[in-house]
Amino acid sequence: MDINKTDSQILTLLQYDGRLSNVELAEQINLSPSPCLRRVKQMESKGLIQGYRATLDRVKIGFSMTVFIEVSLNNHSGSASSAFEASVLAMQNVISAYLTSGAADYRLEVVAEDLPDYERILKEVQTLPHVKDIHSNFAIRAIKTAAPLPLTKASGKTKA
Amino acid sequence: MDINKTDSQILTLLQYDGRLSNVELAEQINLSPSPCLRRVKQMESKGLIQGYRATLDRVKIGFSMTVFIEVSLNNHSGSASSAFEASVLAMQNVISAYLTSGAADYRLEVVAEDLPDYERILKEVQTLPHVKDIHSNFAIRAIKTAAPLPLTKASGKTKA
DNA sequence: CGTGAAATAAGACCCGA
DNA sequence: TCGGGTCTTATTTCACG
């Protein structure tokens, strides 16, 4: 925690461009490269920065469909949940999964190449361990995807 | 969109580490740096690679809550949708938003620092243009977030 | 935190299959 | 058309002040 103004600026810039060179980054926050790199490395080792990713255009690489699947389990024991979660982790077309409040237990975000591909995935989800019920909602259009986290507010105070 | 094997390998590697240097990338796919860089640049300009992002730990930077908000509008005209979508784009705590099939019209993913922050955001969403109805589901735990897209299957054929 | 220097990478250019 | 080599410029990275 304890993110100061400078660190917050760094994180914001790296969220928008993860390939910013250290010298550019340092320039933009009016710092010299050495301390800037030190801060970045520290935030990496503390896990604030989990990693760097190329963001791809889903449609252009062949995934024309994004589907949200809500799953209810018929058994809420720890081992049932674990089995289900492990299976979900192994499914590459599931790109995010949350245990949630509400009517369903889990909500999955799934990418599919086309309708037949979606059908295959849906059947696969239906046969995962302890699945009772499934509801699918198709993403018709993306308004906003994976926007950067708003750090400006979170940069209020420093430890010392 | 004609992705060949080599391009697919590049995309996969860059999804896992967006800061891979070109020489490392080239080594891992058994190519020399020059053609490797050419391919990367080409995929960037074609929009296959949309950009590079640092991935941050939501909780560690102060967002203890992730909430999925389903929104229904009371007016489905084009202008009503546009007004709502523009407002959503402007809300920084909304990190993704989709127009979806199903009972609700839109599905928002929202990050909040704490319960009071969430309350503030919820009220803000309630007052967005043409909002009729809202349902919130809290993310209790993340099983998987923003996993890389599974490219291995999508690399089947080439244009020529 | 800033400066400087050695190691490394990026990016433009040309060559050959 | 695409992979490979080379050179120049820029960047990374780490000593030290």
Side-chain angles (χ1 to χ4, degrees):
Chain A
M1 324 302 163
D2 65 292
I3 303 173
N4 64 28
K5 187 73 187 301
T6 308
D7 287 339
S8 166
Q9 287 180 303
I10 291 174
L11 291 176
T12 299
L13 287 166
L14 288 179
Q15 273 195 107
Y16 283 96
D17 183 0
R19 294 207 93 161
L20 259 187
S21 77
N22 185 56
V23 293
E24 278 182 279
L25 182 58
E27 269 173 28
Q28 297 209 33
I29 60 174
N30 294 310
L31 200 65
S32 42
S34 303
C36 182
L37 184 63
R38 273 197 290 266
R39 282 168 182 273
V40 172
K41 292 296 175 195
Q42 193 178 66
M43 291 193 286
E44 288 173 357
S45 66
K46 280 187 178 173
L48 276 152
I49 298 174
Q50 294 182 323
Y52 302 87
R53 293 273 184 79
T55 307
L56 310 185
D57 186 312
R58 283 184 201 176
V59 174
K60 287 186 181 165
I61 64 172
F63 294 104
S64 63
M65 306 180 65
T66 299
V67 187
F68 299 101
I69 303 183
E70 291 168 12
V71 180
S72 302
L73 301 193
N74 55 28
N75 176 337
H76 294 82
S77 69
S79 65
S81 301
S82 298
F84 173 77
E85 290 174 19
S87 308
V88 159
L89 279 174
M91 284 188 66
Q92 298 217 315
N93 287 82
V94 176
I95 60 170
S96 78
Y98 287 90
L99 175 65
T100 60
S101 70
D105 293 317
Y106 291 91
R107 44 182 64 207
L108 318 181
E109 180 174 354
V110 164
V111 291
E113 293 177 32
D114 47 31
L115 218 37
D117 192 36
Y118 167 66
E119 195 180 338
R120 172 187 66 77
I121 295 163
L122 183 63
K123 283 179 177 160
E124 198 175 333
V125 173
Q126 283 167 340
T127 58
L128 292 184
H130 312 292
V131 168
K132 181 177 70 181
D133 201 14
I134 284 184
H135 290 281
S136 292
N137 287 317
F138 290 77
I140 298 167
R141 187 162 44 84
I143 316 302
K144 191 189 232 182
T145 61
L149 300 167
L151 278 155
T152 34
K153 279 197 65 256
S155 61
K157 41 186 307 190
T158 311
K159 185 174 54 183
Chain B
M1 308 255 110
D2 65 294
I3 302 173
N4 64 28
K5 187 74 189 300
T6 308
D7 287 339
S8 164
Q9 286 180 304
I10 292 176
L11 291 175
T12 298
L13 288 165
L14 288 179
Q15 274 194 107
Y16 282 96
D17 183 0
R19 294 207 93 162
L20 260 187
S21 77
N22 183 56
V23 295
E24 279 181 280
L25 182 57
E27 269 174 29
Q28 298 209 30
I29 60 173
N30 294 310
L31 199 64
S32 43
S34 305
C36 183
L37 185 63
R38 270 199 296 268
R39 282 169 180 276
V40 171
K41 292 299 173 191
Q42 193 178 68
M43 291 193 286
E44 288 173 359
S45 65
K46 281 188 179 172
L48 276 154
I49 298 175
Q50 294 182 323
Y52 301 87
R53 292 273 184 77
T55 307
L56 311 184
D57 186 311
R58 284 185 199 175
V59 173
K60 286 187 181 165
I61 64 171
F63 294 105
S64 63
M65 306 179 66
T66 298
V67 187
F68 298 102
I69 304 183
E70 290 167 13
V71 180
S72 302
L73 302 192
N74 54 28
N75 177 338
H76 294 81
S77 70
S79 65
S81 301
S82 299
F84 173 77
E85 289 174 20
S87 308
V88 160
L89 279 175
M91 285 189 65
Q92 298 218 315
N93 288 81
V94 177
I95 60 170
S96 77
Y98 287 90
L99 176 65
T100 60
S101 70
D105 293 317
Y106 291 93
R107 177 189 190 286
L108 317 180
E109 180 174 353
V110 164
V111 291
E113 293 177 31
D114 47 32
L115 218 37
D117 193 37
Y118 168 65
E119 196 179 339
R120 172 187 67 75
I121 295 163
L122 183 63
K123 284 179 177 160
E124 200 176 332
V125 173
Q126 283 168 341
T127 59
L128 291 184
H130 312 291
V131 168
K132 181 176 73 179
D133 200 15
I134 286 183
H135 290 281
S136 293
N137 287 315
F138 291 77
I140 298 166
R141 186 161 45 85
I143 316 304
K144 189 189 234 185
T145 62
L149 300 167
L151 278 155
T152 33
K153 279 196 65 258
S155 61
K157 43 187 303 189
T158 311
K159 185 173 55 183

